[in-house]
Amino acid sequence: MIDPARRRAVRPPEPGPSGADGFRKPRPGARNRRPTAGEAVSPTEAAVARESGSRGRRRTRGTRGNARTDQWGRTAPLPVDRARGPGSEQGRVRPVSGSGEPNGRTGGRPAFHANSRAAVLDVIRAAGTISRVGLAEATGFTGATISTVVRRLIDDGLVVETGHAESTGGKRRVLLALNRSSRYAVGVHLDQGGVTYALTNLGGSVVARVFRPGGSPDPEAMVAGMSQEIAALIEGVGVPVDRVLGAGLAVPGPLTRGGGMRLTPPAMRRWEAFPLDRALGAATGLPVVLDNDATASALGEHWSGGVGGTTTFAAVYLGTGIGAGLVINGVAHRGVSGNAGEIGHICLQADGPQCWCGARGCTEALAGPAAVAEAARADPAIAAAAGLTGGDGGDDRPRSGPGTPAAEFAAVARAALRGDAGARALLEGSARYLALAVRTLANVMDLEHVVLTGPGLAVAGSLYLPVVEDELSRTFFARGAHGVTVRLSESAAGAPAIGAAALVLQSELVPLREGLRLPETMPDATARPRVTG
């Protein structure tokens, strides 16, 4: 949690006449109050009242379309699509069905936020710019609730009024947007080749980024160095420390429930069972959130708007290894321990090569950067074309450190892009294996959107993209119902660090309400009778 002393004071809403959008500004203590007989109600609020119940009351029965209200008095939330255009409201609302689920292929019910403030702020973020009327339509909140929440967000400096929507014959609506320079977050990606640091603003845009290769073999010394780099990054940009919400930490994993890493790749075994998030938090004095690098990459795409209006997709990650991050209805799906989406360890060959995870024939063992680098070194022509014959692999090395699998993979990719036939054939073989894993993931999750991301695909994405697209267009199980759109991330190289910063922004500003989870042990439960035929 954020230190309360770092928050700006929030003033209660002031009484007064109707606001710029036609909402009546609520008097203190009058939030969601039902208008008395004869009291004037603005046309906008009347329209909102018709959506959520008679004259602003909560409606528990007979609501149009059988929509339900929750504890805030809102109807089922309406997801926001992007509809960008000059002078227009960029939050376009899709209709919902009676169950509260959007009509069409959306993958299920939208996520619920922890409170009305989080819901409103998240809709503003997703829409880009939107009016108070648009917020009421998108969230189902009453006009009074929207006015109160928006006023407090403006008082906190998180939201600003930014121009007007195009006139539709009445009073022009005031548009709202995030105040992107009001808050910042740090993202850190720890990988075997080094550490990437990113500082992003409230909208997820990168303000500064730096890569430091290598690092100390001692985890405690490494954490001390990371703390110094974070402080230097913030100071170098001139951002006040009290505007930094925290630090997100993305690691290859696998993760444990206690925050450490287990069964790590051989080059990162020194991090096993080390409480990395707690140690970095103690060193920096910032709240720290830990997550898988592929999941962080997916969340970064969602937060910054890199996937447009879609809220359900997979981010396929290729860095030191292979993985995938899943976002379902705007929520990152992590599984029980934070290790969902490990497509790098889908078995593609039952008798294939041994993988470091203990299995055989994994995607990563067949198509990962280490497998590509090993195959390139075994072929003298490819090794020479990629500059892998020298002691340090030559000068053709990325910043992830000479000699690492990621560096050698990038060297092979550049050789392929220069026209070397052997290097290109090697990468196309890797891409075919990756495409099989992506097709499996798309079949299991019934995906409609896939993003290719990570440092490896930042270099080789143009070679992998057509292979994955071809595989999905030919063999995706549900292709008769819908296709799968595949595209390259615009921030693939620094995706885990950028996504790690988004972890902080989401957890601190738009927290989600935990869903129902049954206890692991229920001592009062009785055994269910066995059903016999």
Side-chain angles (χ1 to χ4, degrees):
M1 295 298 292
I2 307 172
D3 184 352
R6 290 168 59 181
R7 294 187 182 273
R8 294 185 56 184
V10 178
R11 298 194 305 272
E14 302 173 358
S18 297
D21 272 286
F23 286 117
R24 294 181 59 84
K25 298 179 181 177
R27 296 189 296 273
R31 184 178 179 183
N32 290 334
R33 179 179 60 83
R34 181 183 178 185
T36 60
E39 182 177 348
V41 180
S42 71
T44 302
E45 200 153 69
V48 174
R50 286 195 297 271
E51 285 289 327
S52 57
S54 176
R55 299 201 71 184
R57 288 182 297 172
R58 296 184 186 180
R59 197 170 188 180
T60 56
R61 291 184 301 172
T63 303
R64 183 165 47 192
N66 294 324
R68 297 179 179 177
T69 58
D70 59 19
Q71 66 265 41
W72 299 300
R74 71 177 184 176
T75 56
L78 305 177
V80 176
D81 270 345
R82 300 250 170 149
R84 303 211 178 262
S88 65
E89 288 191 55
Q90 295 178 10
R92 182 177 64 240
V93 182
R94 293 197 300 267
V96 294
S97 64
S99 63
E101 297 184 4
N103 294 325
R105 298 189 303 271
T106 60
R109 186 181 181 88
F112 284 101
H113 297 82
N115 49 57
S116 56
R117 174 189 173 96
V120 170
L121 187 62
D122 205 18
V123 171
I124 295 173
R125 174 202 62 78
T129 58
I130 190 170
S131 71
R132 291 170 176 84
V133 175
L135 284 172
E137 293 172 346
T139 62
F141 293 142
T142 64
T145 297
I146 293 295
S147 292
T148 300
V149 172
V150 167
R151 177 177 291 275
R152 291 177 177 174
L153 290 172
I154 291 175
D155 287 345
D156 280 354
L158 295 170
V159 170
V160 294
E161 294 181 336
T162 173
H164 295 78
E166 293 179 351
S167 176
T168 57
K171 191 171 184 178
R172 296 176 67 193
R173 298 173 179 177
V174 175
L175 296 176
L176 304 166
L178 292 181
N179 182 4
R180 294 174 176 265
S181 61
S182 63
R183 302 290 190 277
Y184 297 84
V186 175
V188 181
H189 177 216
L190 174 65
D191 202 9
Q192 71 177 74
V195 186
T196 303
Y197 304 86
L199 181 69
T200 73
N201 62 20
L202 180 57
S205 299
V206 177
V207 177
R209 190 174 73 189
V210 64
F211 176 83
R212 300 299 184 209
S216 171
D218 178 23
E220 292 185 356
M222 187 77 170
V223 167
M226 292 165 66
S227 175
Q228 294 174 1
E229 290 289 350
I230 290 172
L233 186 70
I234 296 171
E235 182 180 357
V237 182
V239 171
V241 178
D242 61 355
R243 292 191 181 183
V244 179
L245 296 174
L249 189 56
V251 296
L255 304 177
T256 66
R257 290 183 177 182
M261 289 182 281
R262 298 279 188 182
L263 195 66
T264 53
M268 299 190 71
R269 292 282 159 81
R270 66 186 186 273
W271 295 101
E272 282 187 348
F274 183 79
L276 181 56
D277 52 344
R278 296 194 294 274
L280 186 61
T284 61
L286 295 171
V288 174
V289 185
L290 177 70
D291 214 329
N292 179 281
D293 50 10
T295 300
S297 299
L299 188 59
E301 293 286 337
H302 169 68
W303 184 271
S304 63
V307 290
T310 185
T311 58
T312 298
F313 67 96
V316 174
Y317 177 83
L318 194 151
T320 296
I322 296 174
L326 298 170
V327 173
I328 303 173
N329 293 321
V331 181
H333 177 70
R334 296 178 170 87
V336 173
S337 60
N339 294 293
E342 286 290 350
I343 65 169
H345 301 283
I346 291 175
C347 179
L348 300 180
Q349 283 185 4
D351 57 349
Q354 184 81 32
C355 180
W356 63 266
C357 74
R360 284 189 174 276
C362 294
T363 308
E364 193 167 308
L366 294 165
V372 170
E374 183 179 357
R377 282 190 172 278
D379 187 311
I382 299 176
L388 303 182
T389 55
D392 64 351
D395 296 332
D396 195 14
R397 294 288 186 180
R399 293 190 303 166
S400 51
T404 67
E408 294 185 345
F409 174 87
V412 175
R414 284 195 292 271
L417 293 172
R418 289 195 298 265
D420 184 80
R424 187 179 185 90
L426 185 59
L427 288 182
E428 286 177 346
S430 167
R432 284 193 293 272
Y433 280 122
L434 181 64
L436 294 177
V438 173
R439 187 239 293 168
T440 300
L441 180 66
N443 284 342
V444 171
M445 300 302 298
D446 192 23
L447 294 173
E448 198 171 30
H449 301 277
V450 171
V451 179
L452 303 182
T453 189
L457 292 171
V459 181
S462 61
L463 300 174
Y464 280 69
L465 177 63
V467 179
V468 175
E469 285 181 323
D470 177 68
E471 178 68 27
L472 291 174
S473 66
R474 290 186 301 103
T475 62
F476 173 57
F477 179 77
R479 61 189 180 277
H482 65 89
V484 182
T485 301
V486 186
R487 68 168 188 81
L488 292 174
S489 170
E490 296 180 359
S491 56
I498 297 169
L503 289 169
V504 177
L505 296 172
Q506 185 183 68
S507 64
E508 294 288 352
L509 295 177
V510 290
L512 302 176
R513 183 154 50 92
E514 292 290 338
L516 173 66
R517 175 173 293 181
L518 296 176
E520 294 182 1
T521 58
M522 294 182 285
D524 295 333
T526 58
R528 298 177 61 183
R530 179 175 297 177
V531 177
T532 60

